[in-house]
Amino acid sequence: MQEAMTKDKKMKTSKAVRPWYQDMTKEKVQRFLFGSKEKEGFIKMFVIYALLICIGFIYIYPIMYMISKSFMSLDDLLDSSISWIPSSINLSNYVQAANSMDFWKSLMQSILIAGIPTLCNVVSCSLIGYGLARFEFPFKKLVLAIIIFTFVLPSQITMIPTYVMYSNMGILGTLWSFILPSLLGMGINAPIFILIFYQFFKQVPKVLIEAAQIDGAGYFKSFLRISLPSAAPALITVTLFSFVWYWNESYLTEMYVHGVLTSSGWTTLVIQLDQFAANYSSYATTATNAATSLNESISMAGTMLSILPLLLMYFVLQRYFVESIDRTGITGE
């Protein structure tokens, strides 16, 4: 009897100290690797995170390289032993780059050139999208087809006729060459904004519009009080995308606003970055302090200054931007 109890005790002890993998059945292994209805599998999550890390590295690496090089001195650039971390933080690169780009003036003009047409884009595109979504009229499908066609049509095809038209109108070298098309729903990438509002206003329940009309609200008041407040996600998305596209547009800005043949005073940080070498050479010859010759660190500092406002805007509005993208998928009647 005592021997049987001792044997049973040894068997329980051996089960208690067995490695964890001996208790895992084939079903548990499959559930761990491939997942179940309640939980994602290890293989799927590993692939997803590996892809996200790779994509994030592709985007982050140039920015990290730019930041690292922008703080290096000329000695650090020539020293092969220094790759990422500079021996000392050299802020003079940013000072010289900002002075050569006339940073504060260019920043304020960039905000005006990108902000005012963006506001006009939002107003005109929301009205056009609401009209297409809520009203039925002849040739409506043809109008939508033309809007899509204008988005697909390359801007290079209409560039010369547009330039001649603006020249005849006398608005070349002024901000009106961006404001006027935006007011008419033909700003930069405006067709896609019209389609965004069109799809979103179609999802707004019609019963809300009908209830407002029963209470005495007209079409325009229903748009302002009912449809537009519920379209906040679309408004945020269109505003951010339009602002970024106007901010990064250098060719059309230089042709229409900055002026190719006209001596306009309008400029942007992106244009200043395109002309950075010439501007820095002019600054170095007229600077009272000993400005160093143009090198990679100063160029990287100038590039960082041109994208810094957009980075700050994204960090501040990131939560609203993600929420707006997520909420545009809600459905209505």
Side-chain angles (χ1 to χ4, degrees):
M1 183 68 178
Q2 187 175 2
E3 292 179 359
M5 292 177 62
T6 304
K7 187 177 180 180
D8 184 55
K9 186 176 181 181
K10 288 181 179 180
M11 290 178 64
K12 290 182 178 179
T13 305
S14 62
K15 288 183 179 179
V17 298
R18 280 192 308 174
W20 61 271
Y21 56 82
Q22 292 184 2
D23 293 331
M24 292 186 67
T25 62
K26 184 178 180 180
E27 183 180 355
K28 291 182 178 179
V29 173
Q30 290 180 349
R31 192 182 301 117
F32 172 74
L33 294 177
F34 302 104
S36 60
K37 293 182 179 179
E38 296 82 13
K39 187 178 180 181
E40 300 289 349
F42 173 77
I43 295 178
K44 182 179 179 180
M45 297 303 298
F46 177 80
V47 172
I48 291 175
Y49 279 103
L51 288 174
L52 290 176
I53 291 173
C54 292
I55 295 173
F57 177 78
I58 293 173
Y59 281 96
I60 293 176
Y61 177 83
I63 297 178
M64 298 303 296
Y65 179 85
M66 186 194 317
I67 294 174
S68 174
K69 293 297 181 181
S70 65
F71 286 109
M72 288 186 180
S73 62
L74 184 59
D75 295 334
D76 293 338
L77 292 176
L78 299 177
D79 192 348
S80 59
S81 62
I82 297 177
S83 179
W84 281 94
I85 302 176
S87 60
S88 60
I89 302 299
N90 188 13
L91 295 177
S92 62
N93 294 331
Y94 282 90
V95 174
Q96 295 184 46
N99 290 333
S100 64
M101 296 172 68
D102 198 2
F103 178 74
W104 294 111
K105 178 184 176 182
S106 301
L107 175 62
M108 295 305 299
Q109 292 189 353
S110 298
I111 294 174
L112 291 176
I113 291 175
I116 297 177
T118 294
L119 181 61
C120 299
N121 243 354
V122 172
V123 173
S124 61
C125 293
S126 61
L127 288 172
I128 296 172
Y130 179 78
L132 291 172
R134 289 302 178 198
F135 299 100
E136 296 294 334
F137 52 88
F139 306 108
K140 177 180 176 179
K141 293 183 179 180
L142 179 61
V143 172
L144 288 172
I146 293 175
I147 291 174
I148 297 174
F149 177 74
T150 56
F151 176 70
V152 177
L153 188 69
S155 60
Q156 290 81 0
I157 296 178
T158 59
M159 190 175 298
I160 300 302
T162 303
Y163 184 88
V164 174
M165 181 179 67
Y166 289 171
S167 178
N168 294 333
M169 295 174 64
I171 60 175
L172 278 179
T174 67
L175 197 55
W176 282 105
S177 56
F178 272 179
I179 294 177
L180 192 59
S182 300
L183 287 174
L184 299 177
M186 288 302 297
I188 296 177
N189 293 324
I192 193 173
F193 301 146
I194 294 174
L195 295 178
I196 289 175
F197 281 115
Y198 169 73
Q199 291 295 333
F200 194 88
F201 285 133
K202 283 186 66 177
Q203 296 172 355
V204 176
K206 292 182 180 179
V207 292
L208 297 178
I209 308 297
E210 294 172 354
Q213 291 176 349
I214 291 174
D215 292 338
Y219 293 116
F220 191 70
K221 192 172 184 180
S222 300
F223 169 72
L224 290 178
R225 298 290 182 89
I226 305 298
S227 297
L228 199 60
S230 62
L235 288 171
I236 296 174
T237 303
V238 170
T239 301
L240 289 177
F241 274 113
S242 180
F243 187 87
V244 170
W245 276 330
Y246 271 106
W247 182 281
N248 291 330
E249 181 58 56
S250 61
Y251 192 78
L252 296 180
T253 304
E254 193 167 2
M255 177 174 287
Y256 299 146
V257 180
H258 180 67
V260 176
L261 301 177
T262 59
S263 57
S264 171
W266 290 98
T267 187
T268 64
L269 288 176
V270 178
I271 294 177
Q272 291 293 324
L273 184 62
D274 289 340
Q275 303 171 353
F276 187 77
N279 292 337
Y280 185 81
S281 177
S282 176
Y283 159 74
T285 55
T286 58
T288 56
N289 55 347
T292 59
S293 58
L294 183 61
N295 53 52
E296 185 182 6
S297 295
I298 300 176
S299 298
M300 290 298 174
T303 306
M304 191 65 197
L305 287 175
S306 66
I307 67 172
L308 185 61
L310 291 182
L311 291 177
L312 293 177
M313 184 184 71
Y314 176 75
F315 284 131
V316 172
L317 302 177
Q318 178 185 11
R319 180 170 64 89
Y320 304 100
F321 179 67
V322 174
E323 289 179 357
S324 65
I325 293 294
D326 181 63
R327 289 182 57 190
T328 49
I330 61 176
T331 58
E333 294 184 10

